[in-house]
Structures are given as structure tokens and as C-alpha cells.
Amino acid sequence: VKSQGRNNIAFYDAGLTVQARQRVVMESRLRSAINLGQLYCVYQPQLELSSGRIVGAEVLLRWHDEQLGQVSPAEFIPLAESCGLIHQLGLWVLQHSCHQVSQWLQAGLPAFRLAVNVSAQQFAKDTMLQQLKQVLKDSGLSAQLLELEVTESALMTDEVRVIDTMHQIRALGVRLAIDDFGTGYSSLSYLKRLPLDVLKIDKRFIEHIPAEQDDKQIASAIIALAHTMNFKVLAEGVETAEQLQFLQQQGCDYYQGYYFSKPLAADDFAALLQNSGG
Ligand code: C2E
Ligand code: CA
Ligand code: CA
Ligand code: CA
């Protein structure tokens, strides 16, 4: 029994070492990817349900590494968060996408709102507001065309300071969305005090509609709740016509998902926007 136990421990340790080594490799490759410009942005259209118009786009980060191949942000964002690279990465996405959208508008593309993901750590840092102002100034993008997506976890730390930051961001004219809503633990009384514009229903509540009765009820309750608090609602992960129809019946304001479009390379998104006529 004893030797078996020792074997198990040895095995477990070896596993950890491989994992740890992979992490170190990925971290160093991510570091150089930033410097080498191997990261790029894709844009997923956000539509207004009532009109079917493209009213926004969420920018999502992509990384292609020569050896590792395409690495998912679900993998490298948490890594960047744990090693502190997220600040550099997040600032780059904000700068790059704001400049891109500003260029598109100058070239005559129809206006739309850009939604940028901001991680909890970025949001908590006191340089965030100053960076945001600087990016808006440098890019020339109108603050009204920018929306920041923050997760519930980002908003649940250090209540007073966070709410103060949110007010200052909105005072610039920038909108705030709460991302992945329903997956965190924010209480309703807390939610009510947050200066938010948009609530994004997490795709896990959308993906089993219409089969799952519970999910339909949760989604419709979230929509009603958001409207009570005067927030707009966006459903993410919409993949089928049935889901879209259900959300329309429930009075959901916006949606995004593969049903209309996957996240697109910059040129493809610009072409789509041009053809949609705005
Ligand atoms: P998220 O912010 O919840 O982004 C939505 C994710 O759902 C994206 O995955 C998007 O490609 C995917 N998606 C969109 N429509 C559908 C659909 O109809 N069905 C399904 N199954 N999925 C859909 P992606 O691009 O892999 O990003 C994963 C996560 O990585 C994001 O989740 C976000 O948390 C994080 N992330 C990506 N880019 C950034 C960034 O620039 N900054 C930060 N902080 N996080 C980012
Ligand atoms: Ca998001
Ligand atoms: Ca989300
Ligand atoms: Ca997510």
C-alpha cells in the first residue's frame, strides 16, 4: 500500500512538472508574441433584434504561434492574468481596436459601437482611467462608440472604489456592460447600485434553448430584471433561428452569435459592414 502511495505521488508530481513546464514555455512565447506583433483582433457583430441592424462589434483577441499553433484566449488570457501580462495585452487590444474603428469611420464605414473586454485586474488598476482617456484622444474615437465589457468578478471587489471608477468611465461617455451575466454571484441589491448600460446574458443560458425549459425561464427572467433596472440586454451565443425567435418574443434588445456571424478578421468585418449599409 505504501509503495503504491509513493508511486501515485511520484506520478502526480511528474504530471505537475510537465504542466508547469508547458506554462513557462507558453508564458515566454506569449511575451515575445506581444513584442513580435503575433497577436491580432477579430470582430463579432452585435445586432439589434428589432431592426436586424449591426449596431456593434465585440473585439476578441487571437494568437497564432508557429509552434503551438492557434492558442485559444480561454487558455492564454487566464495565463496572462496570472503572470501580469494582462495589463500590456489589454492595453494593446484597446489601442489597436480603437484605432482600427476610428480608421474605418474615417474611410466612410457606417458607425457602430466597439465592445472591448477588460479583465478584472485591468479594471482594478488605478491607471486604467488615464489610459482610457489617452487611447480615446490618440485614436480620435468618439467615447460614445466605445463600450467596456467587465465580468461580475471584476465588479465584486472593493465595492466603493469600483463603483467610483465606473461612474468616471461613464462620465467620459463610454458605456459599461456586465459580461457573462448569471455565472457570478452578484446580489440583486448590488447590481441595482452599479452604473451599467448593458447586461450580457452568458451563452450557457442560451445554448439549450428551446429544449431546456429552465434555461428559457432563466433567460426571460434576466431580460425582465435588466429592463427593470433600465439596462439594455444582449444575448450571446445565439446559434439558431429558434433561439433568436424566443429572444425576440422576450423583448431582448441585442444579440450576437454564430447564427449571424462568427468573429471575423478585420477586413471581413469591414466588408460585411459596408455591404450591410449601416
Ligand atoms: P467572452 O468575452 O464571453 O466572449 C465570447 C466568446 O464566445 C468568444 O470566444 C466568442 O468567439 C464565442 N462565441 C461567440 N458566438 C458564439 C456562438 O454562437 N456559440 C459559441 N459556442 N461561442 C460563441 P473566444 O473568442 O474564444 O474568447 C473566449 C474568452 O476569452 C472571452 O469570452 C473572454 O473572456 C476572453 N477574451 C477574448 N479576448 C479578450 C480580450 O481582448 N481581453 C480579455 N480580457 N479577455 C478576452
Ligand atoms: Ca465579452
Ligand atoms: Ca461573455
Ligand atoms: Ca466568458
Side-chain angles (χ1 to χ4, degrees), residues 44 58-62 72-74 77 81 86 93 117-119 122 149 179-180 203 236-239 256-259 263:
Q44 187 174 40
E58 178 178 5
V59 58
L60 293 156
L61 200 50
R62 293 290 179 265
S72 164
I77 293 287
E81 284 172 338
I86 192 65
V93 173
N117 290 287
V118 175
S119 94
Q122 270 179 285
E149 295 191 1
D179 201 0
D180 301 341
K203 57 177 175 286
E236 62 179 16
V238 175
E239 294 187 356
Q256 67 184 90
Y258 298 165
Y259 178 68

Side-chain angles (χ1 to χ4, degrees), residues 12-268:
Y12 185 64
D13 277 347
L16 267 187
T17 308
V18 170
Q19 241 187 347
R21 204 182 300 132
Q22 275 173 350
R23 251 183 69 102
V24 172
V25 168
M26 198 180 276
E27 183 184 324
S28 85
R29 295 196 72 84
L30 182 58
R31 223 173 264 282
S32 65
I34 297 172
N35 300 323
L36 294 171
Q38 289 170 337
L39 295 164
Y40 60 99
C41 294
V42 292
Y43 299 83
Q44 187 174 40
Q46 298 180 327
L47 294 96
E48 186 173 62
L49 260 155
S50 59
S51 65
R53 283 178 8 140
I54 299 173
V55 291
E58 178 178 5
V59 58
L60 293 156
L61 200 50
R62 293 290 179 265
W63 174 26
H64 185 84
D65 179 89
E66 277 172 14
Q67 282 166 40
L68 304 171
Q70 199 73 25
V71 187
S72 164
E75 205 173 338
F76 71 79
I77 293 287
L79 175 71
E81 284 172 338
S82 71
C83 70
L85 274 175
I86 192 65
H87 299 285
Q88 207 183 332
L89 221 58
L91 181 59
W92 182 81
V93 173
L94 187 68
Q95 283 170 333
H96 183 84
S97 58
C98 286
H99 276 91
Q100 175 66 268
V101 172
S102 184
Q103 276 175 19
W104 281 336
L105 297 182
Q106 277 168 39
L109 284 183
F112 65 95
R113 194 176 280 112
L114 170 71
V116 182
N117 290 287
V118 175
S119 94
Q121 284 174 54
Q122 270 179 285
F123 203 79
K125 215 173 176 187
D126 48 19
T127 49
M128 221 251 337
L129 196 70
Q130 198 48 49
Q131 285 180 346
L132 184 60
K133 286 183 194 165
Q134 194 63 46
V135 170
L136 286 169
K137 196 172 158 214
D138 292 346
S139 66
L141 184 71
S142 155
Q144 280 71 31
L145 295 182
L146 182 64
E147 183 171 290
L148 301 182
E149 295 191 1
V150 280
T151 55
E152 280 180 87
S153 64
L155 305 178
M156 280 172 69
T157 55
D158 201 349
E159 220 178 291
V160 179
R161 215 181 74 82
V162 162
I163 293 178
D164 187 55
T165 305
M166 293 175 78
H167 279 295
Q168 294 189 59
I169 289 170
R170 284 178 97 221
L172 298 174
V174 174
R175 299 215 307 183
L176 283 173
I178 188 165
D179 201 0
D180 301 341
F181 186 76
T183 62
Y185 299 93
S186 30
S187 70
L188 296 185
S189 60
Y190 178 54
L191 190 67
K192 204 178 72 180
R193 281 186 287 132
L194 296 180
L196 287 169
D197 299 284
V198 180
L199 196 151
K200 295 189 77 176
I201 308 176
D202 193 78
K203 57 177 175 286
R204 82 186 61 176
F205 299 117
I206 306 297
E207 65 187 348
H208 301 300
I209 291 176
E212 285 291 332
Q213 205 56 38
D214 289 355
D215 288 346
K216 284 167 84 172
Q217 275 165 8
I218 291 170
S220 78
I222 294 177
I223 293 166
L225 169 76
H227 285 159
T228 302
M229 295 181 180
N230 282 320
F231 307 149
K232 298 282 189 189
V233 197
L234 183 147
E236 62 179 16
V238 175
E239 294 187 356
T240 69
E242 289 95 327
Q243 289 166 351
L244 192 62
Q245 196 191 359
F246 173 77
L247 292 164
Q248 192 143 32
Q249 285 161 359
Q250 302 305 311
C252 185
D253 303 287
Y254 312 111
Y255 78 99
Q256 67 184 90
Y258 298 165
Y259 178 68
F260 181 76
S261 172
K262 293 202 168 187
L264 299 171
D267 288 349
D268 295 334

